[in-house]
Amino acid sequence: MSNVRNGIDWPDAVLFDLDGTLIDSAPDIAAAVNELLAIKQLAPLSVDAVREMIGNGVPKLVERAFVASGCALTAIELDLRVAAMMRVYSRHLTNHTTLMPGALETVSGLAARGVKMAVVSNKPHSFTKQILDHFGFSSHLAAVQGADPCLLPKPAPDMLNAVLDRLGISASRVLFVGDSAVDSDAAKAAAIPVVIVRGGYGGAAHGTIRADAVCSTLFDLLEFIERLPHTGKENSRWL
């Protein structure tokens, strides 16, 4: 089924990454990481350093932070530090986190055009929900998929496929919007066209990400979709 309005073939759904795409959470994540490191009397890391560690979920974040601090963890130690990070970060979800430019406006604009939306994040599911509620996204979303022990995290396609199944929409009628190679690799694995937004955490400005298209900010996304040619085919791709 196509979603054509005023001659524009809008996707049936747009799936968004969260960190670095809809929100700039690096300051809060860095605060939590540094509180965790301080427990072991380790020096704090800069926000920029932590920003480069975000994207693969909490265990990988914690592992990278301790390696960067010269303190590689055993598997047992990593489990303990991840559990501690979950407790610490739960107090840092929205203290210093801000919206990425155009985030709420774009989500509202897509909703007005009849486009379903979902968020797919490697962040723990309960944290993802709390942040989306706090910033006013939740009322616009048809689905939210955070980290789930039953699903492989991005860059595996499992989380994206789970959302498509929940929405009952074909991958060919969907766009995924993210900011990193983790996002683009997951979308490619799920056969979903992917748009990468510059200014997030994934190196899009350096041309290191495989993407079907790149937008400067989310403010450009609606205009970008409007400019894409409408083929008239019910199962057309956008990119």
Side-chain angles (χ1 to χ4, degrees):
M1 179 185 298
S2 62
N3 182 18
V4 179
R5 292 174 178 237
N6 298 322
I8 306 299
D9 187 15
W10 295 93
D12 292 342
V14 174
L15 314 184
F16 290 95
D17 171 54
L18 183 59
D19 297 281
T21 302
L22 293 177
I23 60 169
D24 181 6
S25 54
D28 267 325
I29 293 175
V33 164
N34 287 330
E35 186 174 326
L36 184 70
L37 293 174
I39 296 172
K40 291 296 184 180
Q41 290 78 51
L42 295 171
L45 300 172
S46 70
V47 173
D48 286 342
V50 173
R51 184 178 284 111
E52 295 302 312
M53 302 174 186
I54 298 170
N56 292 88
V58 173
K60 185 57 69 174
L61 169 69
V62 171
E63 177 186 350
R64 289 167 174 165
F66 276 85
V67 167
S69 300
C71 183
L73 301 172
T74 67
I76 293 175
E77 289 170 336
L78 178 59
D79 287 343
L80 292 173
R81 299 286 80 77
V82 168
M85 180 63 177
M86 293 288 284
R87 294 190 294 272
V88 170
Y89 184 46
S90 69
R91 296 186 275 101
H92 291 273
L93 295 180
T94 58
N95 296 341
H96 303 290
T97 293
T98 57
L99 291 170
M100 293 296 283
L104 199 54
E105 295 89 342
T106 297
V107 168
S108 299
L110 288 169
R113 290 161 173 82
V115 178
K116 292 182 179 180
M117 283 167 288
V119 166
V120 184
S121 174
N122 282 343
K123 187 186 292 291
H125 187 79
S126 63
F127 295 169
T128 299
K129 288 280 291 179
Q130 289 180 61
I131 291 168
L132 292 170
D133 288 345
H134 175 83
F135 285 107
F137 288 112
S138 297
S139 63
H140 297 299
L141 300 175
V144 175
Q145 181 63 66
D148 184 328
C150 297
L151 297 171
L152 290 174
K154 297 178 296 180
D158 300 41
M159 298 171 74
L160 294 175
N161 288 334
V163 169
L164 294 184
D165 289 345
R166 205 175 309 160
L167 298 180
I169 297 175
S170 166
S172 66
R173 296 292 309 172
V174 173
L175 288 179
F176 185 57
V177 181
D179 70 301
S180 70
V182 171
D183 297 321
S184 62
D185 289 349
K188 294 294 185 184
I192 297 173
V194 58
V195 175
I196 291 296
V197 182
R198 298 185 191 276
Y201 306 158
H206 308 293
T208 57
I209 300 175
R210 299 181 306 143
D212 296 289
V214 176
C215 287
S216 295
T217 73
L218 284 173
F219 280 118
D220 302 322
L221 185 63
L222 296 182
E223 182 182 352
F224 171 77
I225 297 174
E226 289 177 345
R227 291 200 310 266
L228 293 172
H230 171 42
T231 66
K233 296 180 180 178
E234 197 166 290
N235 291 318
S236 62
R237 291 169 66 99
W238 283 266
L239 303 171

